[in-house]
Amino acid sequence: MELLDGQLVSRKIKDTLRLQVAQLTTEGKKVPHLAAVLVGNNGASETYVGAKVKACAEIGYKSTLIRLEDTISENKLLNIIEDLNNDVDVDGILVQLPVPKHISDEKIINAIHPSKDVDGFHPINIGKLVQGQPTFISATPHGVLLMLEHYKIDTKGKHAVVVGRSNIVGRPMSILLSSNTNTGNCTVTICHSHTRNLKELCLQADIIVAALGRAEFVTADMVKEGAIIIDVGITRVPDASKKSGFALKGDVKFDEVAPRCSYITPVPGGVGPMTIAALMKNTFMACEERNGKVLFD
Ligand code: GUN
């Protein structure tokens, strides 16, 4: 069994981006600028956004963090997004999800200009992704692909079972794994809460992507010997022995599953850092486009 080390791979990607940013500065060009919007004070969201802003600083990007009260109206938030869309200095915009219940996440996602949608959530970008056109790939699935690429994992012809059908992970992941690309060409099964024979399907999987958000859901009896396990879940589980009062658990019961598989991502330190690396890559591409390089059309 080999650990898929998200810390290591993400550091490599960020190191490359740092050199590319230095090159932009040498050429007198602007550095990438990410604007992150955080509504309310959800602890996990604070951590994720904090890590994104920190990554910008490490690489040499400019970042702006906009913190908003959880009582902000949907209209006010839409106006803030419009201002960021019109701000010529801002290359990428992300609104950390979830947003409070009185705000429609669909409206928020649709309001971000597709050229600044570094999360890759906008329907135009998802549509391009489905058609295999170059675009921003949603950060978490993009991070998973970068991980597979780094470890030279051959996906061609493999049976991938994606557990979870969310718009931000499961659905784009299933499309990318089935696409005609180096990290695709899988036969994909997508499972969800109504799937009847989940265990049997998982047992047939060469690759399992667990993205349902239920701590330790995937157990050893669901995993074929030699399978590749990608654990996207990260749930805070109460743990009195921790200073924070919680432990972070993936969707996979790591200790019992790890001995059965060929590769596995740990939690934390697996997919999480890769999501950030992918977001940084997307932000760089957004900036390049704005500098006049045509990457997408
Ligand atoms: N919430 C959970 N994952 C993500 C993500 O990748 N981007 C944003 N904006 N919100 C999230």
Side-chain angles (χ1 to χ4, degrees):
M1 182 276 293
E2 188 175 350
L3 267 190
L4 299 172
D5 186 343
Q7 292 285 9
L8 178 120
V9 183
S10 125
R11 201 173 312 122
K12 281 196 157 200
I13 292 168
K14 289 190 290 183
D15 284 346
T16 305
L17 289 170
R18 191 185 308 119
L19 295 176
Q20 288 177 302
V21 172
Q23 181 64 31
L24 286 180
T25 308
T26 308
E27 291 168 8
K29 293 182 179 152
K30 84 184 269 307
V31 299
H33 179 181
L34 176 70
V37 180
L38 176 60
V39 186
N41 47 14
N42 174 296
S45 292
E46 294 249 5
T47 306
Y48 301 145
V49 173
K52 291 170 185 179
V53 169
K54 184 166 161 247
C56 285
E58 282 168 14
I59 299 173
Y61 291 1
K62 189 171 164 185
S63 70
T64 302
L65 172 57
I66 301 174
R67 289 174 158 276
L68 302 167
E69 295 289 327
D70 61 1
T71 51
I72 189 168
S73 71
E74 186 178 83
N75 263 339
K76 275 202 179 136
L77 179 54
L78 289 170
N79 286 337
I80 289 167
I81 293 170
E82 195 49 31
D83 288 345
L84 293 172
N85 283 338
N86 293 328
D87 185 337
V88 290
D89 194 60
V90 170
D91 301 297
I93 304 169
L94 77 84
V95 178
Q96 189 65 26
L97 300 176
V99 284
K101 283 205 170 60
H102 66 280
I103 297 173
S104 150
D105 50 5
E106 201 175 292
K107 273 196 196 163
I108 299 306
I109 287 168
N110 290 358
I112 297 172
H113 193 279
S115 67
K116 296 193 179 190
D117 169 39
V118 286
D119 261 325
F121 293 167
H122 193 285
I124 287 192
N125 289 325
I126 294 283
K128 287 185 178 179
L129 181 140
V130 170
Q131 297 202 342
Q133 296 179 32
T135 188
F136 297 116
I137 304 173
S138 319
T140 298
H142 190 183
V144 171
L145 297 187
L146 292 169
M147 180 88 102
L148 294 172
E149 201 174 279
H150 176 87
Y151 284 92
K152 299 187 171 50
I153 292 174
D154 187 14
T155 54
K156 190 164 56 185
K158 296 218 161 100
H159 180 204
V161 171
V162 178
V163 188
R165 57 177 163 186
S166 71
N167 283 343
I168 64 177
V169 185
R171 217 179 280 270
M173 191 79 253
S174 67
I175 292 157
L176 290 160
L177 286 171
S178 68
S179 298
N180 188 3
T181 57
N182 279 342
T183 46
N185 285 314
C186 289
T187 302
V188 177
T189 302
I190 182 154
C191 299
H192 45 77
S193 50
H194 293 279
T195 299
R196 291 219 176 106
N197 47 349
L198 183 71
K199 182 178 165 187
E200 287 69 28
L201 290 167
C202 285
L203 275 169
Q204 291 168 26
D206 302 308
I207 302 173
I208 296 178
V209 180
L212 71 160
R214 277 176 58 183
E216 301 188 318
F217 180 86
V218 177
T219 45
D221 59 337
M222 297 165 76
V223 175
K224 181 170 81 173
E225 193 75 40
I228 298 158
I229 308 291
I230 309 290
D231 189 350
V232 178
I234 185 151
T235 304
R236 291 180 167 197
V237 175
D239 184 340
S241 72
K242 303 268 180 198
K243 218 169 102 190
S244 61
F246 63 83
L248 295 175
K249 295 280 180 198
D251 286 353
V252 176
K253 207 161 191 178
F254 184 90
D255 290 348
E256 63 176 55
V257 171
R260 290 188 69 74
C261 44
S262 53
Y263 295 95
I264 186 166
T265 59
V267 175
V271 174
M274 293 307 300
T275 296
I276 292 177
L279 176 72
M280 295 298 120
K281 255 183 117 84
N282 284 353
T283 305
F284 191 85
M285 288 195 279
C287 179
E288 287 278 85
E289 280 262 311
R290 298 172 73 72
N291 277 339
K293 253 195 196 161
V294 179
L295 304 171
F296 317 139
D297 46 26

mmCIF file with all atom_site columns, all heavy atoms in Angstrom, residues 52 94-97 119 121 140 168 275, ligand 1:
data_model
loop_
_atom_site.group_PDB
_atom_site.id
_atom_site.type_symbol
_atom_site.label_atom_id
_atom_site.label_alt_id
_atom_site.label_comp_id
_atom_site.label_asym_id
_atom_site.label_entity_id
_atom_site.label_seq_id
_atom_site.pdbx_PDB_ins_code
_atom_site.Cartn_x
_atom_site.Cartn_y
_atom_site.Cartn_z
_atom_site.occupancy
_atom_site.B_iso_or_equiv
_atom_site.pdbx_formal_charge
_atom_site.auth_seq_id
_atom_site.auth_comp_id
_atom_site.auth_asym_id
_atom_site.auth_atom_id
_atom_site.pdbx_PDB_model_num
ATOM   1  N N   . LYS A 1 52  ? -6.714  28.762 2.099   1.00 0.00 ? 52  LYS A N   1
ATOM   2  C CA  . LYS A 1 52  ? -6.647  29.267 0.714   1.00 0.00 ? 52  LYS A CA  1
ATOM   3  C C   . LYS A 1 52  ? -5.899  30.600 0.673   1.00 0.00 ? 52  LYS A C   1
ATOM   4  O O   . LYS A 1 52  ? -5.039  30.824 -0.182  1.00 0.00 ? 52  LYS A O   1
ATOM   5  C CB  . LYS A 1 52  ? -8.064  29.404 0.133   1.00 0.00 ? 52  LYS A CB  1
ATOM   6  C CG  . LYS A 1 52  ? -8.726  28.051 -0.090  1.00 0.00 ? 52  LYS A CG  1
ATOM   7  C CD  . LYS A 1 52  ? -10.214 28.132 -0.433  1.00 0.00 ? 52  LYS A CD  1
ATOM   8  C CE  . LYS A 1 52  ? -10.820 26.733 -0.512  1.00 0.00 ? 52  LYS A CE  1
ATOM   9  N NZ  . LYS A 1 52  ? -12.252 26.712 -0.816  1.00 0.00 ? 52  LYS A NZ  1
ATOM   10 N N   . LEU A 1 94  ? -14.019 33.355 -5.219  1.00 0.00 ? 94  LEU A N   1
ATOM   11 C CA  . LEU A 1 94  ? -14.688 32.177 -4.658  1.00 0.00 ? 94  LEU A CA  1
ATOM   12 C C   . LEU A 1 94  ? -15.553 32.600 -3.498  1.00 0.00 ? 94  LEU A C   1
ATOM   13 O O   . LEU A 1 94  ? -15.176 33.465 -2.718  1.00 0.00 ? 94  LEU A O   1
ATOM   14 C CB  . LEU A 1 94  ? -13.682 31.100 -4.237  1.00 0.00 ? 94  LEU A CB  1
ATOM   15 C CG  . LEU A 1 94  ? -12.881 31.227 -2.959  1.00 0.00 ? 94  LEU A CG  1
ATOM   16 C CD1 . LEU A 1 94  ? -13.649 30.738 -1.750  1.00 0.00 ? 94  LEU A CD1 1
ATOM   17 C CD2 . LEU A 1 94  ? -11.609 30.435 -3.103  1.00 0.00 ? 94  LEU A CD2 1
ATOM   18 N N   . VAL A 1 95  ? -16.722 32.027 -3.438  1.00 0.00 ? 95  VAL A N   1
ATOM   19 C CA  . VAL A 1 95  ? -17.601 32.204 -2.279  1.00 0.00 ? 95  VAL A CA  1
ATOM   20 C C   . VAL A 1 95  ? -17.613 30.851 -1.581  1.00 0.00 ? 95  VAL A C   1
ATOM   21 O O   . VAL A 1 95  ? -18.029 29.845 -2.179  1.00 0.00 ? 95  VAL A O   1
ATOM   22 C CB  . VAL A 1 95  ? -19.029 32.617 -2.702  1.00 0.00 ? 95  VAL A CB  1
ATOM   23 C CG1 . VAL A 1 95  ? -19.930 32.737 -1.477  1.00 0.00 ? 95  VAL A CG1 1
ATOM   24 C CG2 . VAL A 1 95  ? -18.996 33.928 -3.483  1.00 0.00 ? 95  VAL A CG2 1
ATOM   25 N N   . GLN A 1 96  ? -17.112 30.819 -0.352  1.00 0.00 ? 96  GLN A N   1
ATOM   26 C CA  . GLN A 1 96  ? -17.034 29.541 0.340   1.00 0.00 ? 96  GLN A CA  1
ATOM   27 C C   . GLN A 1 96  ? -18.439 29.011 0.626   1.00 0.00 ? 96  GLN A C   1
ATOM   28 O O   . GLN A 1 96  ? -19.297 29.725 1.135   1.00 0.00 ? 96  GLN A O   1
ATOM   29 C CB  . GLN A 1 96  ? -16.232 29.705 1.653   1.00 0.00 ? 96  GLN A CB  1
ATOM   30 C CG  . GLN A 1 96  ? -15.915 28.398 2.352   1.00 0.00 ? 96  GLN A CG  1
ATOM   31 C CD  . GLN A 1 96  ? -14.969 27.482 1.559   1.00 0.00 ? 96  GLN A CD  1
ATOM   32 O OE1 . GLN A 1 96  ? -14.182 27.935 0.740   1.00 0.00 ? 96  GLN A OE1 1
ATOM   33 N NE2 . GLN A 1 96  ? -15.057 26.182 1.802   1.00 0.00 ? 96  GLN A NE2 1
ATOM   34 N N   . LEU A 1 97  ? -18.658 27.764 0.282   1.00 0.00 ? 97  LEU A N   1
ATOM   35 C CA  . LEU A 1 97  ? -19.947 27.109 0.530   1.00 0.00 ? 97  LEU A CA  1
ATOM   36 C C   . LEU A 1 97  ? -19.834 26.218 1.770   1.00 0.00 ? 97  LEU A C   1
ATOM   37 O O   . LEU A 1 97  ? -18.734 25.738 2.054   1.00 0.00 ? 97  LEU A O   1
ATOM   38 C CB  . LEU A 1 97  ? -20.336 26.258 -0.687  1.00 0.00 ? 97  LEU A CB  1
ATOM   39 C CG  . LEU A 1 97  ? -20.479 27.023 -2.007  1.00 0.00 ? 97  LEU A CG  1
ATOM   40 C CD1 . LEU A 1 97  ? -20.771 26.055 -3.142  1.00 0.00 ? 97  LEU A CD1 1
ATOM   41 C CD2 . LEU A 1 97  ? -21.558 28.081 -1.922  1.00 0.00 ? 97  LEU A CD2 1
ATOM   42 N N   . ASP A 1 119 ? -13.415 28.237 -8.883  1.00 0.00 ? 119 ASP A N   1
ATOM   43 C CA  . ASP A 1 119 ? -13.923 26.995 -8.281  1.00 0.00 ? 119 ASP A CA  1
ATOM   44 C C   . ASP A 1 119 ? -14.477 26.060 -9.354  1.00 0.00 ? 119 ASP A C   1
ATOM   45 O O   . ASP A 1 119 ? -14.713 24.881 -9.087  1.00 0.00 ? 119 ASP A O   1
ATOM   46 C CB  . ASP A 1 119 ? -15.051 27.309 -7.288  1.00 0.00 ? 119 ASP A CB  1
ATOM   47 C CG  . ASP A 1 119 ? -14.574 27.329 -5.843  1.00 0.00 ? 119 ASP A CG  1
ATOM   48 O OD1 . ASP A 1 119 ? -13.688 26.538 -5.507  1.00 0.00 ? 119 ASP A OD1 1
ATOM   49 O OD2 . ASP A 1 119 ? -15.105 28.145 -5.073  1.00 0.00 ? 119 ASP A OD2 1
ATOM   50 N N   . PHE A 1 121 ? -17.511 26.133 -10.662 1.00 0.00 ? 121 PHE A N   1
ATOM   51 C CA  . PHE A 1 121 ? -18.882 25.728 -10.301 1.00 0.00 ? 121 PHE A CA  1
ATOM   52 C C   . PHE A 1 121 ? -19.937 26.284 -11.242 1.00 0.00 ? 121 PHE A C   1
ATOM   53 O O   . PHE A 1 121 ? -21.085 25.850 -11.212 1.00 0.00 ? 121 PHE A O   1
ATOM   54 C CB  . PHE A 1 121 ? -19.241 26.219 -8.877  1.00 0.00 ? 121 PHE A CB  1
ATOM   55 C CG  . PHE A 1 121 ? -18.450 25.570 -7.764  1.00 0.00 ? 121 PHE A CG  1
ATOM   56 C CD1 . PHE A 1 121 ? -18.479 26.116 -6.475  1.00 0.00 ? 121 PHE A CD1 1
ATOM   57 C CD2 . PHE A 1 121 ? -17.711 24.416 -7.970  1.00 0.00 ? 121 PHE A CD2 1
ATOM   58 C CE1 . PHE A 1 121 ? -17.766 25.523 -5.436  1.00 0.00 ? 121 PHE A CE1 1
ATOM   59 C CE2 . PHE A 1 121 ? -16.999 23.820 -6.940  1.00 0.00 ? 121 PHE A CE2 1
ATOM   60 C CZ  . PHE A 1 121 ? -17.026 24.379 -5.677  1.00 0.00 ? 121 PHE A CZ  1
ATOM   61 N N   . THR A 1 140 ? -11.841 20.417 -6.241  1.00 0.00 ? 140 THR A N   1
ATOM   62 C CA  . THR A 1 140 ? -11.554 19.121 -5.602  1.00 0.00 ? 140 THR A CA  1
ATOM   63 C C   . THR A 1 140 ? -11.331 18.015 -6.648  1.00 0.00 ? 140 THR A C   1
ATOM   64 O O   . THR A 1 140 ? -10.310 17.318 -6.592  1.00 0.00 ? 140 THR A O   1
ATOM   65 C CB  . THR A 1 140 ? -12.660 18.750 -4.587  1.00 0.00 ? 140 THR A CB  1
ATOM   66 O OG1 . THR A 1 140 ? -12.654 19.761 -3.566  1.00 0.00 ? 140 THR A OG1 1
ATOM   67 C CG2 . THR A 1 140 ? -12.421 17.400 -3.950  1.00 0.00 ? 140 THR A CG2 1
ATOM   68 N N   . ILE A 1 168 ? -20.378 19.745 -6.584  1.00 0.00 ? 168 ILE A N   1
ATOM   69 C CA  . ILE A 1 168 ? -18.999 20.236 -6.492  1.00 0.00 ? 168 ILE A CA  1
ATOM   70 C C   . ILE A 1 168 ? -17.955 19.121 -6.477  1.00 0.00 ? 168 ILE A C   1
ATOM   71 O O   . ILE A 1 168 ? -16.806 19.382 -6.756  1.00 0.00 ? 168 ILE A O   1
ATOM   72 C CB  . ILE A 1 168 ? -18.792 21.246 -5.340  1.00 0.00 ? 168 ILE A CB  1
ATOM   73 C CG1 . ILE A 1 168 ? -19.008 20.656 -3.966  1.00 0.00 ? 168 ILE A CG1 1
ATOM   74 C CG2 . ILE A 1 168 ? -19.689 22.443 -5.495  1.00 0.00 ? 168 ILE A CG2 1
ATOM   75 C CD1 . ILE A 1 168 ? -18.722 21.662 -2.851  1.00 0.00 ? 168 ILE A CD1 1
ATOM   76 N N   . THR A 1 275 ? -7.023  20.137 -3.175  1.00 0.00 ? 275 THR A N   1
ATOM   77 C CA  . THR A 1 275 ? -8.081  21.085 -3.568  1.00 0.00 ? 275 THR A CA  1
ATOM   78 C C   . THR A 1 275 ? -7.488  22.496 -3.618  1.00 0.00 ? 275 THR A C   1
ATOM   79 O O   . THR A 1 275 ? -7.752  23.270 -4.542  1.00 0.00 ? 275 THR A O   1
ATOM   80 C CB  . THR A 1 275 ? -9.231  21.051 -2.534  1.00 0.00 ? 275 THR A CB  1
ATOM   81 O OG1 . THR A 1 275 ? -9.807  19.758 -2.556  1.00 0.00 ? 275 THR A OG1 1
ATOM   82 C CG2 . THR A 1 275 ? -10.305 22.077 -2.844  1.00 0.00 ? 275 THR A CG2 1
HETATM 83 N N1  . GUN B 2 .   ? -17.103 24.114 0.216   1.00 0.00 ? 1   GUN B N1  1
HETATM 84 C C1  . GUN B 2 .   ? -16.599 22.866 0.218   1.00 0.00 ? 1   GUN B C1  1
HETATM 85 N N2  . GUN B 2 .   ? -15.688 22.724 -0.776  1.00 0.00 ? 1   GUN B N2  1
HETATM 86 C C2  . GUN B 2 .   ? -15.637 23.919 -1.412  1.00 0.00 ? 1   GUN B C2  1
HETATM 87 C C3  . GUN B 2 .   ? -14.882 24.383 -2.520  1.00 0.00 ? 1   GUN B C3  1
HETATM 88 O O1  . GUN B 2 .   ? -14.072 23.676 -3.135  1.00 0.00 ? 1   GUN B O1  1
HETATM 89 N N3  . GUN B 2 .   ? -15.109 25.688 -2.872  1.00 0.00 ? 1   GUN B N3  1
HETATM 90 C C4  . GUN B 2 .   ? -15.995 26.482 -2.215  1.00 0.00 ? 1   GUN B C4  1
HETATM 91 N N4  . GUN B 2 .   ? -16.162 27.730 -2.655  1.00 0.00 ? 1   GUN B N4  1
HETATM 92 N N5  . GUN B 2 .   ? -16.718 26.063 -1.184  1.00 0.00 ? 1   GUN B N5  1
HETATM 93 C C5  . GUN B 2 .   ? -16.529 24.789 -0.784  1.00 0.00 ? 1   GUN B C5  1
#
